[in-house]
Amino acid sequence: MSNQQLETAATATAAKDRELRIVDCDAHNWPLPGDLAPYLSKRWQQYLETFGLRTPAEVGLVRAKPLASRTDAWSPNGNVPGNDPAFFREDLLERHGIDLAILNSLAMAQQSVVGGNQPVEFTAELMRAANEWTQDYFLEADDRLYSSICCAFEDPQLALPEVERWGADPRWLQVLFPFRTQRPIGNRKYWPIFEVAENHDLLIAFHPGSMGNNLISGAGWPSFYYEDHVGYPGALMAQVASLITEGVFERFPNLKVVFQEGGWSWTAPYSWRLDRAFEQLRDEVPHLRRKPSEYMRDHFWFTSQPIEEPERRGQFEEALAVFGGADRLLYSSDYPHWDFDPPDQALPKSLDPAIAEAIMSRNAVRLYGFEGGGA
Amino acid sequence: MSTTAPASPLAGLWHGPVVDADVHIAPPSVEAIFPYLDEVWREFAMERGFGEGTWNATSVTNTLPPNSPITTRADWRPDDGRPPASDLELLNRQVLEPYGTEMAVVTCYYGIDALRHPDYAAAMASAVNDWMVAEWLEADERLRGSLVLPAHDPVAMAAEIDRLGGHPRIRQIFLPIRSEHLYGRRTYLPVFEAAARHGLVCGLHFGGSSDGPPTPVGFPSWYMEEYAGATQLYFSQIMSIIAEGLLQRFPSLKFAVLEGGFLWLPGIMWRLDKEWKGLRRDIPWVDRPPSSLVREHFRFSVAPVDAGPPEHMAVQIDHLGADDMLMFATDYPHDHQRGLEELIGVLPQATLENMMYRTARDLYGD
């Protein structure tokens, strides 16, 4: 963010700085097509009415629950989870004492799961509509809510205006991508988005989600949702390798990345593998000026849910030491999904209270600049 | 035979038996396997230039850049122009003698899995395997063999396993991690049924040719990116083998995870266990925490180590939760021996002994 934007952010949040005890870095609101239709241009309103939205390309991979959600997250009037702003605030913020939440609109899924199955102009319209719906019904209704920006990231020409539009607004924090993009995310195709993100001090955030054009693994489809869900780190390994080897952090030295729901305890050993590969293959990538593990240390943050559950007491803390400390971990609930982590059950009880406090709020406050000063 | 034995690369690290779980061999030229190939396929290979003189048959596979410093260690690249790892005397002088190896598991990868022609692929796999048996396994009693298979045809894969799986020195089937489908899927049941029938180890190894890009997000730009990212493939294959219930169906099956690293495993095992608690009704045949299946059925070679800071490696080793999961390997002729000294420095004595010979002796021995 620019200094002026930081000041605006500081003013907006200064009054409750002291109260930011729990910051939820991954909660979902969810617009249905009927919510988005009023925001669409005539042309795409007609398209939506005439053809409707296609089913996800991955519908064959049976989820754990309808909409992968908790049964009690449907609002009393029957709205799908994350759809009713009042119930969302009551059921997540009030019920769990969450002081601030970052919304990752599941509208992203409306482009990512259908992959190449719809016109990209329609995708761009849907993403614009989703952002406006989030602004009107969530951000304007409750100043505890912040949001990620949805955009048609596979076509940066269409995505850029949307990122530019919200980029200067302190309530919009990051550009949202699914784990599985069409190309590895370090590809130059996506650099225009990174450039705008860096200019606006926006982060780039990755959330589970899919792209119809690629397989879940490098060896094809799994049979079970279990594999999809356990396997999230797999796509992230490819994205880490891509961001680093393509030199994204040399070109955009202030770019920050947040991985959501992908775990963190695999990242240090994976960075060693990258370091060792770099030692032997550095002639291939002379554009890298630092070791991969150094880029990882400086550019990547991770949300907590689903939190690592080691087998024995003490292993969590040991894993944290290998990871490099707790300052890059951010509490997240993943509301309203079935594997929701409420704030009082998100971390091991044995954890040092100072570390827990950092994960529950302080790291996020620093990263996103909620206090106005940033990291 | 070399007359002057070079100093052991293990000097100061280990004095005791050595079993090498991952050694590569290659025909010096495609003509070397012609005695084991029918006329029609000899013509195929000649006319179409199979191998082109490079050791990993790069005319049909792009798995390894031939000149990459990882592909062949500089001092293991013959200076007379022969392909690396193509000569038993060379293997003896460069690896078996200096390491004092009592047993080594050899594989001739040769890019067979890249062949799409089903009959050509099956014939080439058979020829490579027959060549390996005749000219390597039967020429040196320290060697055990790994069968290369026509990877796009599970029925033909099973047939090849049945053809040679009874040979006392064949101890493994070679399964490249970039398969057309994940190995747990029922498509491959004939393959694992045959492997179980003959008591063969299933060796998951770097390489292969799938029907898509090697990552879940498309084709990488850089070899370093693809190479390092292979962890994803090993992870997905292990998960598939567990989730599909293959280990309940064939409880005797053992998997060797070769050239895939192992320090990444603890956090992944936790994730496998945690999500199993939430989702096991989809896979009810998985009747135990997946980590216990990993510990019982999977063994990991330590070339490459992918070493990190010693104190952190020690934590990862401890979090593996078993002292018999690692196997020493040179991965000859690849340059994958780095980090062994650091690894040995943090291993408990029992883990070290298991790693240097016991685990692999149990797995591959007679």
Side-chain angles (χ1 to χ4, degrees):
Chain A
M1 292 182 202
S2 69
N3 284 339
Q4 191 184 347
Q5 288 152 10
L6 286 172
E7 280 165 26
T8 314
T11 312
T13 57
K16 55 182 199 288
D17 277 349
R18 288 178 302 278
E19 301 158 24
L20 289 180
R21 290 172 303 106
I22 303 176
V23 176
D24 181 353
C25 292
D26 179 26
H28 298 295
N29 61 339
W30 196 337
L32 295 179
D35 300 314
L36 299 182
Y39 294 99
L40 298 177
S41 67
K42 202 85 190 150
R43 191 261 181 272
W44 295 110
Q45 264 180 16
Q46 275 175 355
Y47 183 93
L48 182 63
E49 278 166 30
T50 311
F51 298 100
L53 283 176
R54 297 182 70 178
T55 53
E58 293 178 13
V59 75
L61 207 62
V62 182
R63 298 293 190 242
K65 293 272 192 185
L67 306 178
S69 291
R70 282 165 37 189
T71 324
D72 63 351
W74 268 258
S75 70
N77 59 14
N79 284 27
V80 300
N83 187 254
D84 176 342
F87 183 71
F88 174 93
R89 288 152 58 198
E90 177 195 326
D91 198 36
L92 178 65
L93 305 184
E94 310 301 345
R95 184 170 164 191
H96 297 287
I98 288 171
D99 300 307
L100 192 155
I102 301 173
L103 299 171
N104 290 308
S105 174
L106 290 170
M108 182 192 68
Q110 274 154 1
Q111 68 176 311
S112 63
V113 290
V114 293
N117 291 355
Q118 74 187 13
V120 70
E121 295 89 344
F122 185 39
T123 298
E125 277 282 288
L126 286 170
M127 296 304 104
R128 182 181 60 73
N131 292 331
E132 290 185 7
W133 181 78
T134 294
Q135 174 70 30
D136 289 350
Y137 289 92
F138 287 80
L139 302 197
E140 288 189 6
D142 196 318
D143 65 4
R144 292 171 294 184
L145 298 177
Y146 289 68
S147 185
S148 301
I149 301 169
C150 294
C151 66
F153 50 83
E154 294 296 357
D155 191 326
Q157 289 304 323
L158 288 172
L160 285 183
E162 200 55 24
V163 180
E164 290 277 13
R165 192 146 72 98
W166 304 103
D169 184 332
R171 300 282 288 283
W172 293 81
L173 303 172
Q174 54 201 7
V175 183
L176 189 59
F177 292 86
F179 284 174
R180 278 180 287 127
T181 44
Q182 222 164 22
R183 300 294 313 271
I185 196 65
N187 189 281
R188 283 166 189 263
K189 164 187 171 177
Y190 303 105
W191 286 21
I193 299 177
F194 300 158
E195 185 172 0
V196 173
E198 192 187 46
N199 287 343
H200 286 295
D201 256 1
L202 296 166
L203 287 80
I204 60 171
F206 291 82
H207 187 275
S210 47
M211 190 68 207
N213 300 24
N214 279 315
L215 310 174
I216 282 186
S217 92
W221 289 96
S223 300
F224 306 105
Y225 175 57
Y226 170 78
E227 294 166 84
D228 177 20
H229 205 267
V230 177
Y232 291 163
L236 293 180
M237 288 171 187
Q239 300 292 35
V240 167
S242 174
L243 284 165
I244 290 173
T245 54
E246 296 279 18
V248 167
F249 302 116
E250 290 297 331
R251 175 66 182 77
F252 306 105
N254 297 314
L255 195 66
K256 292 171 179 161
V257 181
V258 179
F259 283 165
Q260 300 166 345
E261 297 192 42
W264 46 269
S265 58
W266 54 270
T267 60
Y270 186 63
S271 75
W272 307 337
R273 178 170 173 86
L274 283 159
D275 279 355
R276 300 290 86 81
F278 180 56
E279 283 166 11
Q280 289 184 280
L281 298 170
R282 61 193 312 156
D283 287 347
E284 192 198 22
V285 284
H287 51 280
L288 302 188
R289 293 191 298 182
R290 308 174 67 197
K291 290 197 297 185
S293 59
E294 293 172 12
Y295 293 116
M296 259 193 108
R297 181 78 188 92
D298 290 350
H299 292 274
F300 291 84
W301 277 258
F302 303 83
T303 63
S304 62
Q305 181 281 341
I307 194 70
E308 266 75 354
E309 286 183 41
E311 295 165 291
R312 294 194 312 271
R313 193 178 167 86
Q315 287 184 324
F316 187 94
E317 288 81 354
E318 291 167 359
L320 211 49
V322 172
F323 174 64
D327 62 326
R328 291 178 298 140
L329 290 185
L330 311 166
Y331 165 69
S332 60
S333 73
D334 196 25
Y335 181 87
H337 288 309
W338 66 271
D339 50 344
F340 170 77
D341 274 355
D344 59 338
Q345 294 170 37
L347 298 172
K349 298 280 184 260
S350 60
L351 197 60
D352 181 320
I355 292 174
E357 189 193 320
I359 297 171
M360 294 309 293
S361 65
R362 193 165 359 104
N363 295 340
V365 167
R366 283 201 186 133
L367 176 63
Y368 291 105
F370 295 130
E371 287 178 326
Chain B
M1 284 287 164
S2 167
T3 47
T4 54
S8 167
L10 297 172
L13 298 176
W14 172 252
H15 299 285
V18 171
V19 176
D20 190 335
D22 190 19
V23 166
H24 297 276
I25 58 171
S29 69
V30 73
E31 287 88 346
I33 64 169
F34 281 1
Y36 311 95
L37 206 57
D38 281 349
E39 179 64 27
V40 61
W41 306 122
R42 288 205 293 267
E43 280 178 19
F44 251 68
M46 286 303 281
E47 188 187 337
R48 298 164 197 220
F50 192 98
E52 298 289 1
T54 53
W55 81 280
N56 62 339
T58 50
S59 61
V60 292
T61 179
N62 59 3
T63 295
L64 304 169
N67 301 330
S68 147
I70 291 180
T71 303
T72 303
R73 207 173 89 176
D75 61 327
W76 286 346
R77 204 181 278 277
D79 46 20
D80 56 8
R82 283 180 301 166
S86 63
D87 180 279
L88 178 57
E89 194 277 324
L90 216 52
L91 172 68
N92 186 54
R93 180 151 44 89
Q94 293 181 329
V95 178
L96 303 180
E97 286 289 322
Y99 282 90
T101 309
E102 73 169 37
M103 179 167 77
V105 184
V106 299
T107 297
C108 177
Y109 175 54
Y110 214 43
I112 300 301
D113 60 72
L115 293 173
R116 299 281 168 172
H117 187 310
D119 301 317
Y120 186 32
M124 287 295 280
S126 295
V128 166
N129 291 330
D130 287 340
W131 167 82
M132 173 181 71
V133 168
E135 306 196 16
W136 295 75
L137 304 189
E138 291 178 356
D140 190 318
E141 62 181 14
R142 292 168 293 185
L143 303 184
R144 301 294 179 277
S146 187
L147 291 177
V148 67
L149 301 171
H152 299 282
D153 184 347
V155 172
M157 291 167 83
E160 179 65 6
I161 295 169
D162 280 334
R163 192 179 72 85
L164 276 180
H167 190 287
R169 304 284 286 288
I170 295 293
R171 299 299 305 133
Q172 179 168 263
I173 61 172
F174 183 83
L175 301 172
I177 49 167
R178 273 187 71 195
S179 47
E180 198 167 301
H181 305 285
L182 290 164
Y183 283 120
R185 295 190 68 181
R186 294 177 193 182
T187 309
Y188 293 108
L189 279 179
V191 176
F192 294 108
E193 198 169 17
R197 188 158 56 238
H198 296 286
L200 301 181
V201 177
C202 304
L204 298 169
H205 194 283
F206 189 83
S209 47
S210 66
D211 279 356
T215 88
V217 296
F219 280 97
S221 302
W222 306 94
Y223 176 62
M224 174 184 154
E225 179 184 356
E226 178 182 347
Y227 166 85
T231 308
Q232 183 273 324
L233 285 152
Y234 287 96
F235 167 29
S236 294
Q237 295 288 12
I238 291 170
M239 180 163 57
S240 171
I241 287 159
I242 288 172
E244 299 269 1
L246 198 62
L247 303 173
Q248 278 73 30
R249 208 184 278 262
F250 304 112
S252 65
L253 273 191
K254 301 282 186 193
F255 285 82
V257 181
L258 304 167
E259 213 177 316
F262 55 95
L263 292 166
W264 52 271
L265 196 59
I268 294 299
M269 285 200 290
W270 299 340
R271 194 168 173 103
L272 285 163
D273 282 1
K274 171 166 177 153
E275 303 303 316
W276 171 75
K277 291 176 197 164
L279 297 168
R280 65 186 178 196
R281 64 185 174 145
D282 278 359
I283 47 172
W285 42 81
V286 181
D287 55 2
R288 282 175 286 162
S291 62
S292 70
L293 292 167
V294 174
R295 292 186 181 115
E296 183 178 339
H297 292 273
F298 291 84
R299 300 292 177 263
F300 296 77
S301 81
V302 298
V305 172
D306 294 331
E311 69 277 19
H312 292 165
M313 274 205 293
V315 170
Q316 298 304 101
I317 298 291
D318 179 53
H319 289 188
L320 286 174
D323 64 10
D324 62 349
M325 294 173 76
L326 305 182
M327 299 189 293
F328 169 76
T330 56
D331 201 17
Y332 174 85
H334 300 320
D335 191 348
H336 270 162
Q337 300 76 46
R338 296 152 189 248
L340 185 68
E341 185 172 352
E342 293 97 305
L343 175 68
I344 288 178
V346 301
L347 288 183
Q349 186 62 24
T351 310
L352 174 62
E353 288 182 17
N354 288 336
M355 179 182 91
M356 293 310 298
Y357 68 98
R358 274 207 202 98
T359 297
R361 204 191 256 173
D362 288 350
L363 196 62
Y364 296 109
D366 303 320

